[in-house]
Amino acid sequence: ETGVTQTPRHLVMGMTNKKSLKCEQHLGHNAMYWYKQSAKKPLELMFVYNFKEQTENNSVPSRFSPECPNSSHLFLHLHTLQPEDSALYLCASSQEGPGGGNEKLFFGSGTQLSVL
Amino acid sequence: GQNIDQPTEMTATEGAIVQINCTYQTSGFNGLFWYQQHAGEAPTFLSYNVLDGLEEKGRFSSFLSRSKGYSYLLLKELQMKDSASYLCAVRDSNYQLIWGAGTKLIIKP
């Protein structure tokens, strides 16, 4: 157990569906992240929230919409996705955000997303 | 551009030693991380190097040479449970993490 829980573990959706991924951290961390992991490719940072404020949006298409209602919860809302969006979506948290010094990441097990 | 290179896949024998290399070209350097990821599981932190030299932690050691843009992860007394992917990541001058694609390590009996 890493202290970061993601649901669901697996998700299959059509291109016209709307779904949400959920992440919860029980570590008292101040920063939370969404990453995309595709096979044999480096992790791609999507969004960063530091103290509930979005500090980074790495040119992610608008069909991905993050929400951070508090420092323990993070959502990724999905709509009108494309087949190339199929990947493992990882949530992570750290005590401090980028540049804060203590940025060891604690990851959830991810949501394996398939877009048909 | 910024780049992290690591071998795609390596195979080693149970009880042996294996070295996984990572070379990087980044805009500045503010530390290098190694993470382990078992199939279907969360990546977990293994080590952090910011100064040159070897950091030892049980069976695992990590080495850094900033002048060469090079690091390695050394795993000793390999066990079957060490079969996993090993991810190298470098923090650049803007404190952005640049990730390698990972090295899949296969341990054979």
Side-chain angles (χ1 to χ4, degrees):
Chain A
E1 283 296 325
T2 62
V4 180
T5 304
Q6 288 187 245
T7 55
R9 287 297 304 272
H10 302 274
L11 179 62
V12 179
M13 60 187 289
M15 289 190 284
T16 59
N17 291 157
K18 290 184 179 181
K19 296 286 184 184
S20 295
L21 309 185
K22 179 182 176 181
C23 176
E24 183 175 2
Q25 58 99 355
H26 310 276
L27 302 168
H29 287 170
N30 297 315
M32 296 187 76
Y33 310 74
W34 280 116
Y35 277 94
K36 177 183 179 181
Q37 187 175 37
S38 302
K40 300 184 180 180
K41 289 186 177 180
L43 286 177
E44 298 175 44
L45 179 64
M46 300 175 73
F47 302 104
V48 181
Y49 278 82
N50 201 9
F51 290 97
K52 301 188 300 178
E53 297 297 321
Q54 184 175 316
T55 58
E56 287 190 49
N57 174 346
N58 281 7
S59 302
V60 180
S62 59
R63 58 185 183 268
F64 295 91
S65 175
E67 178 189 1
C68 188
N70 55 62
S71 57
S72 298
H73 294 85
L74 186 64
F75 296 89
L76 188 62
H77 303 300
L78 317 171
H79 64 97
T80 59
L81 294 191
Q82 305 298 310
E84 60 263 30
D85 296 323
S86 298
L88 180 68
Y89 288 84
L90 290 166
C91 174
S93 69
S94 62
Q95 182 62 55
E96 299 174 37
N102 189 354
E103 296 162 48
K104 185 170 79 173
L105 294 172
F106 291 75
F107 286 89
S109 297
T111 295
Q112 186 65 54
L113 175 66
S114 297
V115 182
L116 304 178
Chain B
Q2 308 202 84
N3 192 51
I4 308 287
D5 286 315
Q6 23 178 162
T8 302
E9 186 173 300
M10 299 181 70
T11 302
T13 304
E14 190 177 16
I17 299 173
V18 71
Q19 177 174 311
I20 302 174
N21 295 326
C22 171
T23 58
Y24 61 89
Q25 301 89 39
T26 57
S27 303
F29 177 86
N30 277 301
L32 184 145
F33 297 81
W34 284 97
Y35 284 81
Q36 179 191 59
Q37 185 179 22
H38 287 100
E41 297 184 15
T44 55
F45 171 83
L46 284 179
S47 67
Y48 172 67
N49 294 70
V50 67
L51 300 176
D52 290 351
L54 188 68
E55 295 278 343
E56 296 187 74
K57 193 183 293 184
R59 294 189 299 113
F60 292 11
S61 303
S62 57
F63 172 83
L64 174 67
S65 168
R66 288 172 296 171
S67 63
K68 296 182 179 178
Y70 168 69
S71 172
Y72 67 72
L73 182 68
L74 190 71
L75 291 72
K76 302 177 183 176
E77 302 170 17
L78 285 170
Q79 302 175 10
M80 298 303 293
K81 67 178 182 179
D82 297 328
S83 292
S85 288
Y86 292 85
L87 312 178
C88 175
V90 172
R91 193 163 55 195
D92 69 9
S93 57
N94 293 319
Y95 291 91
Q96 302 299 310
L97 269 181
I98 312 301
W99 293 86
T103 298
K104 182 178 180 180
L105 178 63
I106 300 169
I107 308 299
K108 295 186 174 180

Short mmCIF file of all heavy atoms in Angstrom, two decimals, chain A residues 1-51:
data_model
loop_
_atom_site.label_atom_id
_atom_site.label_comp_id
_atom_site.label_asym_id
_atom_site.label_seq_id
_atom_site.Cartn_x
_atom_site.Cartn_y
_atom_site.Cartn_z
N GLU A 1 0.83 -1.21 0.00
CA GLU A 1 0.00 0.00 0.00
C GLU A 1 0.86 1.26 0.00
O GLU A 1 1.75 1.43 0.84
CB GLU A 1 -0.89 0.01 1.25
CG GLU A 1 -2.12 -0.92 1.17
CD GLU A 1 -3.09 -0.49 0.07
OE1 GLU A 1 -3.23 0.71 -0.18
OE2 GLU A 1 -3.68 -1.40 -0.53
N THR A 2 0.61 2.13 -0.95
CA THR A 2 1.42 3.34 -1.07
C THR A 2 0.76 4.52 -0.38
O THR A 2 1.37 5.58 -0.26
CB THR A 2 1.63 3.71 -2.55
OG1 THR A 2 0.36 3.98 -3.16
CG2 THR A 2 2.30 2.56 -3.30
N GLY A 3 -0.49 4.37 0.03
CA GLY A 3 -1.23 5.48 0.62
C GLY A 3 -1.98 6.29 -0.41
O GLY A 3 -2.59 7.30 -0.07
N VAL A 4 -1.91 5.87 -1.67
CA VAL A 4 -2.63 6.55 -2.74
C VAL A 4 -3.54 5.53 -3.41
O VAL A 4 -3.07 4.50 -3.89
CB VAL A 4 -1.66 7.14 -3.78
CG1 VAL A 4 -2.44 7.86 -4.89
CG2 VAL A 4 -0.68 8.10 -3.11
N THR A 5 -4.83 5.82 -3.42
CA THR A 5 -5.83 4.87 -3.93
C THR A 5 -6.50 5.44 -5.17
O THR A 5 -6.97 6.59 -5.16
CB THR A 5 -6.89 4.60 -2.85
OG1 THR A 5 -6.25 4.13 -1.67
CG2 THR A 5 -7.88 3.55 -3.34
N GLN A 6 -6.55 4.63 -6.21
CA GLN A 6 -7.20 5.05 -7.45
C GLN A 6 -8.35 4.12 -7.78
O GLN A 6 -8.23 2.90 -7.61
CB GLN A 6 -6.22 5.02 -8.63
CG GLN A 6 -5.19 6.11 -8.60
CD GLN A 6 -4.37 6.15 -9.87
OE1 GLN A 6 -3.16 5.91 -9.86
NE2 GLN A 6 -5.02 6.47 -10.99
N THR A 7 -9.43 4.69 -8.26
CA THR A 7 -10.56 3.91 -8.75
C THR A 7 -11.10 4.55 -10.02
O THR A 7 -11.02 5.78 -10.20
CB THR A 7 -11.70 3.86 -7.71
OG1 THR A 7 -12.06 5.20 -7.34
CG2 THR A 7 -11.29 3.08 -6.48
N PRO A 8 -11.62 3.72 -10.95
CA PRO A 8 -11.56 2.27 -10.94
C PRO A 8 -10.18 1.76 -11.37
O PRO A 8 -9.37 2.54 -11.85
CB PRO A 8 -12.63 1.89 -11.98
CG PRO A 8 -12.58 3.01 -12.97
CD PRO A 8 -12.30 4.26 -12.16
N ARG A 9 -9.92 0.48 -11.22
CA ARG A 9 -8.65 -0.08 -11.68
C ARG A 9 -8.65 -0.27 -13.20
O ARG A 9 -7.61 -0.15 -13.84
CB ARG A 9 -8.40 -1.43 -11.01
CG ARG A 9 -8.02 -1.34 -9.54
CD ARG A 9 -6.70 -0.59 -9.31
NE ARG A 9 -5.58 -1.17 -10.05
CZ ARG A 9 -4.80 -2.14 -9.59
NH1 ARG A 9 -5.02 -2.67 -8.40
NH2 ARG A 9 -3.79 -2.60 -10.33
N HIS A 10 -9.83 -0.57 -13.73
CA HIS A 10 -9.96 -0.77 -15.17
C HIS A 10 -11.20 -0.03 -15.65
O HIS A 10 -12.21 0.02 -14.94
CB HIS A 10 -10.10 -2.26 -15.52
CG HIS A 10 -8.96 -3.09 -15.04
ND1 HIS A 10 -7.80 -3.27 -15.77
CD2 HIS A 10 -8.78 -3.80 -13.90
CE1 HIS A 10 -6.97 -4.04 -15.10
NE2 HIS A 10 -7.53 -4.37 -13.96
N LEU A 11 -11.12 0.52 -16.85
CA LEU A 11 -12.26 1.25 -17.42
C LEU A 11 -12.25 1.08 -18.92
O LEU A 11 -11.22 1.32 -19.57
CB LEU A 11 -12.17 2.73 -17.05
CG LEU A 11 -13.27 3.65 -17.59
CD1 LEU A 11 -14.62 3.22 -17.03
CD2 LEU A 11 -12.98 5.10 -17.21
N VAL A 12 -13.41 0.67 -19.45
CA VAL A 12 -13.59 0.60 -20.89
C VAL A 12 -14.69 1.59 -21.24
O VAL A 12 -15.76 1.56 -20.64
CB VAL A 12 -13.98 -0.82 -21.35
CG1 VAL A 12 -14.19 -0.85 -22.87
CG2 VAL A 12 -12.91 -1.82 -20.94
N MET A 13 -14.43 2.45 -22.19
CA MET A 13 -15.44 3.45 -22.55
C MET A 13 -15.45 3.70 -24.05
O MET A 13 -14.42 3.54 -24.73
CB MET A 13 -15.23 4.75 -21.78
CG MET A 13 -13.91 5.43 -21.99
SD MET A 13 -13.67 6.85 -20.89
CE MET A 13 -14.85 8.02 -21.57
N GLY A 14 -16.60 4.08 -24.52
CA GLY A 14 -16.73 4.47 -25.91
C GLY A 14 -16.34 5.92 -26.09
O GLY A 14 -16.19 6.67 -25.12
N MET A 15 -16.14 6.32 -27.31
CA MET A 15 -15.66 7.67 -27.59
C MET A 15 -16.67 8.75 -27.23
O MET A 15 -16.30 9.91 -27.05
CB MET A 15 -15.25 7.78 -29.06
CG MET A 15 -13.97 7.02 -29.39
SD MET A 15 -13.35 7.38 -31.03
CE MET A 15 -14.48 6.42 -32.02
N THR A 16 -17.93 8.36 -27.06
CA THR A 16 -18.94 9.38 -26.74
C THR A 16 -19.27 9.41 -25.24
O THR A 16 -20.08 10.22 -24.80
CB THR A 16 -20.23 9.14 -27.53
OG1 THR A 16 -20.72 7.83 -27.22
CG2 THR A 16 -19.96 9.25 -29.02
N ASN A 17 -18.67 8.52 -24.48
CA ASN A 17 -18.99 8.44 -23.06
C ASN A 17 -18.34 9.56 -22.26
O ASN A 17 -17.37 10.19 -22.71
CB ASN A 17 -18.50 7.11 -22.47
CG ASN A 17 -19.28 5.92 -22.98
OD1 ASN A 17 -18.78 4.80 -22.96
ND2 ASN A 17 -20.49 6.15 -23.45
N LYS A 18 -18.88 9.75 -21.04
CA LYS A 18 -18.23 10.61 -20.05
C LYS A 18 -17.97 9.77 -18.81
O LYS A 18 -18.89 9.12 -18.31
CB LYS A 18 -19.13 11.79 -19.67
CG LYS A 18 -19.32 12.82 -20.75
CD LYS A 18 -20.14 13.99 -20.20
CE LYS A 18 -20.34 15.06 -21.26
NZ LYS A 18 -21.13 16.21 -20.73
N LYS A 19 -16.77 9.79 -18.33
CA LYS A 19 -16.41 9.04 -17.13
C LYS A 19 -15.45 9.88 -16.30
O LYS A 19 -14.87 10.86 -16.79
CB LYS A 19 -15.74 7.71 -17.50
CG LYS A 19 -16.61 6.75 -18.27
CD LYS A 19 -17.65 6.11 -17.38
CE LYS A 19 -18.46 5.06 -18.16
NZ LYS A 19 -19.55 4.48 -17.33
N SER A 20 -15.25 9.45 -15.05
CA SER A 20 -14.30 10.14 -14.18
C SER A 20 -13.41 9.14 -13.48
O SER A 20 -13.86 8.07 -13.06
CB SER A 20 -15.05 10.98 -13.14
OG SER A 20 -15.78 12.02 -13.75
N LEU A 21 -12.14 9.51 -13.35
CA LEU A 21 -11.18 8.74 -12.55
C LEU A 21 -11.03 9.45 -11.21
O LEU A 21 -11.01 10.68 -11.14
CB LEU A 21 -9.83 8.67 -13.26
CG LEU A 21 -9.82 8.22 -14.71
CD1 LEU A 21 -8.38 8.10 -15.20
CD2 LEU A 21 -10.59 6.94 -14.90
N LYS A 22 -10.88 8.63 -10.16
CA LYS A 22 -10.78 9.19 -8.82
C LYS A 22 -9.47 8.79 -8.17
O LYS A 22 -8.99 7.67 -8.36
CB LYS A 22 -11.94 8.72 -7.95
CG LYS A 22 -11.91 9.24 -6.52
CD LYS A 22 -13.06 8.68 -5.70
CE LYS A 22 -12.97 9.12 -4.25
NZ LYS A 22 -14.07 8.55 -3.42
N CYS A 23 -8.90 9.71 -7.43
CA CYS A 23 -7.67 9.45 -6.69
C CYS A 23 -7.81 10.04 -5.30
O CYS A 23 -8.29 11.19 -5.14
CB CYS A 23 -6.48 10.07 -7.41
SG CYS A 23 -4.91 9.90 -6.53
N GLU A 24 -7.36 9.29 -4.30
CA GLU A 24 -7.39 9.77 -2.92
C GLU A 24 -6.06 9.43 -2.26
O GLU A 24 -5.57 8.31 -2.39
CB GLU A 24 -8.55 9.12 -2.15
CG GLU A 24 -8.69 9.61 -0.72
CD GLU A 24 -9.92 9.04 -0.03
OE1 GLU A 24 -10.63 8.24 -0.65
OE2 GLU A 24 -10.16 9.40 1.14
N GLN A 25 -5.48 10.41 -1.57
CA GLN A 25 -4.24 10.12 -0.85
C GLN A 25 -4.45 10.32 0.65
O GLN A 25 -5.13 11.26 1.07
CB GLN A 25 -3.07 10.97 -1.39
CG GLN A 25 -3.26 12.46 -1.35
CD GLN A 25 -2.61 13.16 -0.19
OE1 GLN A 25 -2.03 12.53 0.71
NE2 GLN A 25 -2.67 14.49 -0.19
N HIS A 26 -3.85 9.39 1.41
CA HIS A 26 -4.03 9.37 2.86
C HIS A 26 -2.71 9.71 3.56
O HIS A 26 -2.44 9.24 4.66
CB HIS A 26 -4.48 7.97 3.29
CG HIS A 26 -5.64 7.44 2.51
ND1 HIS A 26 -6.94 7.74 2.80
CD2 HIS A 26 -5.68 6.65 1.41
CE1 HIS A 26 -7.74 7.13 1.94
NE2 HIS A 26 -7.01 6.47 1.08
N LEU A 27 -1.89 10.52 2.91
CA LEU A 27 -0.54 10.78 3.40
C LEU A 27 -0.35 12.19 3.92
O LEU A 27 0.75 12.54 4.37
CB LEU A 27 0.47 10.50 2.27
CG LEU A 27 0.42 9.07 1.71
CD1 LEU A 27 1.22 8.97 0.42
CD2 LEU A 27 0.97 8.09 2.74
N GLY A 28 -1.38 13.02 3.79
CA GLY A 28 -1.25 14.41 4.23
C GLY A 28 -0.36 15.24 3.33
O GLY A 28 0.19 16.26 3.76
N HIS A 29 -0.22 14.82 2.07
CA HIS A 29 0.63 15.53 1.12
C HIS A 29 -0.07 16.77 0.58
O HIS A 29 -1.31 16.88 0.58
CB HIS A 29 1.01 14.62 -0.03
CG HIS A 29 2.01 13.57 0.35
ND1 HIS A 29 2.34 12.52 -0.48
CD2 HIS A 29 2.77 13.43 1.46
CE1 HIS A 29 3.26 11.78 0.11
NE2 HIS A 29 3.53 12.30 1.29
N ASN A 30 0.75 17.69 0.07
CA ASN A 30 0.21 18.95 -0.43
C ASN A 30 0.10 19.01 -1.95
O ASN A 30 -0.56 19.90 -2.49
CB ASN A 30 1.09 20.11 0.03
CG ASN A 30 1.09 20.24 1.54
OD1 ASN A 30 0.05 20.16 2.18
ND2 ASN A 30 2.26 20.41 2.13
N ALA A 31 0.74 18.11 -2.65
CA ALA A 31 0.74 18.15 -4.11
C ALA A 31 0.20 16.83 -4.67
O ALA A 31 0.48 15.75 -4.13
CB ALA A 31 2.15 18.40 -4.64
N MET A 32 -0.55 16.93 -5.75
CA MET A 32 -1.08 15.75 -6.42
C MET A 32 -0.91 15.90 -7.93
O MET A 32 -0.90 17.03 -8.46
CB MET A 32 -2.56 15.53 -6.07
CG MET A 32 -2.78 15.23 -4.60
SD MET A 32 -4.46 14.75 -4.19
CE MET A 32 -4.49 13.04 -4.79
N TYR A 33 -0.75 14.77 -8.59
CA TYR A 33 -0.38 14.75 -10.02
C TYR A 33 -1.21 13.72 -10.77
O TYR A 33 -1.57 12.67 -10.22
CB TYR A 33 1.09 14.33 -10.17
CG TYR A 33 2.10 15.07 -9.32
CD1 TYR A 33 2.20 14.82 -7.95
CD2 TYR A 33 2.98 15.97 -9.89
CE1 TYR A 33 3.14 15.48 -7.17
CE2 TYR A 33 3.93 16.63 -9.12
CZ TYR A 33 4.00 16.37 -7.76
OH TYR A 33 4.96 17.03 -7.00
N TRP A 34 -1.45 14.02 -12.04
CA TRP A 34 -1.93 13.01 -12.98
C TRP A 34 -0.84 12.75 -14.01
O TRP A 34 -0.30 13.70 -14.61
CB TRP A 34 -3.19 13.45 -13.72
CG TRP A 34 -4.46 13.30 -12.96
CD1 TRP A 34 -5.30 14.28 -12.54
CD2 TRP A 34 -5.07 12.07 -12.52
NE1 TRP A 34 -6.37 13.76 -11.88
CE2 TRP A 34 -6.26 12.39 -11.85
CE3 TRP A 34 -4.72 10.71 -12.64
CZ2 TRP A 34 -7.11 11.44 -11.29
CZ3 TRP A 34 -5.55 9.77 -12.08
CH2 TRP A 34 -6.74 10.13 -11.41
N TYR A 35 -0.55 11.46 -14.23
CA TYR A 35 0.40 11.03 -15.25
C TYR A 35 -0.29 10.07 -16.20
O TYR A 35 -1.16 9.30 -15.80
CB TYR A 35 1.59 10.28 -14.63
CG TYR A 35 2.70 11.13 -14.07
CD1 TYR A 35 2.72 11.48 -12.73
CD2 TYR A 35 3.74 11.55 -14.89
CE1 TYR A 35 3.76 12.24 -12.21
CE2 TYR A 35 4.79 12.30 -14.37
CZ TYR A 35 4.79 12.65 -13.03
OH TYR A 35 5.81 13.40 -12.51
N LYS A 36 0.17 10.08 -17.45
CA LYS A 36 -0.25 9.09 -18.44
C LYS A 36 0.93 8.17 -18.72
O LYS A 36 2.05 8.64 -18.96
CB LYS A 36 -0.68 9.77 -19.73
CG LYS A 36 -1.08 8.82 -20.85
CD LYS A 36 -1.43 9.58 -22.12
CE LYS A 36 -1.81 8.63 -23.24
NZ LYS A 36 -2.13 9.36 -24.51
N GLN A 37 0.68 6.84 -18.68
CA GLN A 37 1.75 5.88 -18.96
C GLN A 37 1.31 4.98 -20.11
O GLN A 37 0.38 4.19 -19.97
CB GLN A 37 2.08 5.03 -17.72
CG GLN A 37 3.30 4.14 -17.93
CD GLN A 37 3.70 3.38 -16.67
OE1 GLN A 37 2.87 2.95 -15.89
NE2 GLN A 37 5.01 3.22 -16.46
N SER A 38 1.98 5.13 -21.23
CA SER A 38 1.74 4.27 -22.39
C SER A 38 2.88 3.27 -22.49
O SER A 38 4.00 3.54 -22.06
CB SER A 38 1.67 5.11 -23.67
OG SER A 38 0.65 6.08 -23.58
N ALA A 39 2.56 2.13 -23.09
CA ALA A 39 3.55 1.05 -23.17
C ALA A 39 4.84 1.52 -23.83
O ALA A 39 4.82 2.15 -24.89
CB ALA A 39 2.97 -0.12 -23.95
N LYS A 40 5.94 1.23 -23.17
CA LYS A 40 7.29 1.50 -23.67
C LYS A 40 7.55 2.98 -23.91
O LYS A 40 8.43 3.33 -24.70
CB LYS A 40 7.56 0.69 -24.95
CG LYS A 40 7.46 -0.81 -24.71
CD LYS A 40 7.83 -1.60 -25.94
CE LYS A 40 7.73 -3.09 -25.67
NZ LYS A 40 8.09 -3.92 -26.82
N LYS A 41 6.80 3.85 -23.25
CA LYS A 41 7.02 5.28 -23.36
C LYS A 41 7.26 5.87 -21.98
O LYS A 41 6.81 5.31 -20.98
CB LYS A 41 5.81 5.97 -24.00
CG LYS A 41 5.63 5.68 -25.48
CD LYS A 41 4.50 6.52 -26.04
CE LYS A 41 4.33 6.31 -27.52
NZ LYS A 41 3.22 7.15 -28.06
N PRO A 42 7.97 7.00 -21.90
CA PRO A 42 8.15 7.64 -20.59
C PRO A 42 6.83 8.13 -20.02
O PRO A 42 5.88 8.41 -20.76
CB PRO A 42 9.06 8.83 -20.92
CG PRO A 42 9.69 8.51 -22.23
CD PRO A 42 8.69 7.69 -22.97
N LEU A 43 6.79 8.23 -18.71
CA LEU A 43 5.64 8.83 -18.06
C LEU A 43 5.45 10.25 -18.59
O LEU A 43 6.40 11.01 -18.72
CB LEU A 43 5.85 8.89 -16.55
CG LEU A 43 5.74 7.58 -15.77
CD1 LEU A 43 6.05 7.82 -14.30
CD2 LEU A 43 4.36 6.99 -15.91
N GLU A 44 4.18 10.59 -18.86
CA GLU A 44 3.86 11.95 -19.32
C GLU A 44 3.09 12.66 -18.22
O GLU A 44 2.00 12.22 -17.82
CB GLU A 44 2.97 11.89 -20.57
CG GLU A 44 3.58 11.23 -21.77
CD GLU A 44 2.56 11.13 -22.90
OE1 GLU A 44 1.84 12.13 -23.15
OE2 GLU A 44 2.45 10.06 -23.52
N LEU A 45 3.64 13.76 -17.73
CA LEU A 45 2.94 14.56 -16.73
C LEU A 45 1.79 15.29 -17.40
O LEU A 45 1.98 15.95 -18.44
CB LEU A 45 3.90 15.56 -16.08
CG LEU A 45 3.30 16.48 -15.04
CD1 LEU A 45 2.80 15.70 -13.83
CD2 LEU A 45 4.32 17.54 -14.62
N MET A 46 0.61 15.17 -16.80
CA MET A 46 -0.57 15.85 -17.36
C MET A 46 -0.90 17.10 -16.55
O MET A 46 -1.01 18.20 -17.10
CB MET A 46 -1.75 14.90 -17.38
CG MET A 46 -1.55 13.65 -18.20
SD MET A 46 -2.93 12.51 -18.06
CE MET A 46 -4.18 13.37 -19.04
N PHE A 47 -1.12 16.92 -15.26
CA PHE A 47 -1.54 18.03 -14.41
C PHE A 47 -0.86 17.94 -13.06
O PHE A 47 -0.56 16.85 -12.57
CB PHE A 47 -3.06 18.00 -14.19
CG PHE A 47 -3.88 18.05 -15.43
CD1 PHE A 47 -4.49 16.90 -15.93
CD2 PHE A 47 -4.06 19.25 -16.10
CE1 PHE A 47 -5.25 16.94 -17.08
CE2 PHE A 47 -4.84 19.30 -17.26
CZ PHE A 47 -5.43 18.15 -17.75
N VAL A 48 -0.63 19.12 -12.46
CA VAL A 48 -0.10 19.20 -11.11
C VAL A 48 -0.99 20.14 -10.30
O VAL A 48 -1.34 21.22 -10.79
CB VAL A 48 1.35 19.74 -11.08
CG1 VAL A 48 1.87 19.79 -9.65
CG2 VAL A 48 2.26 18.90 -11.95
N TYR A 49 -1.32 19.72 -9.11
CA TYR A 49 -2.02 20.57 -8.17
C TYR A 49 -1.15 20.71 -6.92
O TYR A 49 -0.69 19.71 -6.36
CB TYR A 49 -3.38 19.99 -7.78
CG TYR A 49 -4.46 20.27 -8.79
CD1 TYR A 49 -4.58 19.48 -9.93
CD2 TYR A 49 -5.34 21.33 -8.62
CE1 TYR A 49 -5.58 19.74 -10.86
CE2 TYR A 49 -6.33 21.60 -9.54
CZ TYR A 49 -6.44 20.79 -10.67
OH TYR A 49 -7.42 21.06 -11.59
N ASN A 50 -0.96 21.93 -6.49
CA ASN A 50 -0.19 22.21 -5.28
C ASN A 50 -1.08 23.02 -4.36
O ASN A 50 -1.51 24.12 -4.73
CB ASN A 50 1.09 22.97 -5.64
CG ASN A 50 2.16 22.84 -4.59
OD1 ASN A 50 2.03 22.08 -3.64
ND2 ASN A 50 3.22 23.60 -4.73
N PHE A 51 -1.37 22.50 -3.18
CA PHE A 51 -2.31 23.15 -2.26
C PHE A 51 -3.62 23.47 -2.98
O PHE A 51 -4.15 24.58 -2.88
CB PHE A 51 -1.71 24.43 -1.67
CG PHE A 51 -0.59 24.19 -0.71
CD1 PHE A 51 0.73 24.27 -1.15
CD2 PHE A 51 -0.83 23.88 0.61
CE1 PHE A 51 1.78 24.04 -0.27
CE2 PHE A 51 0.21 23.65 1.50
CZ PHE A 51 1.51 23.73 1.05
#
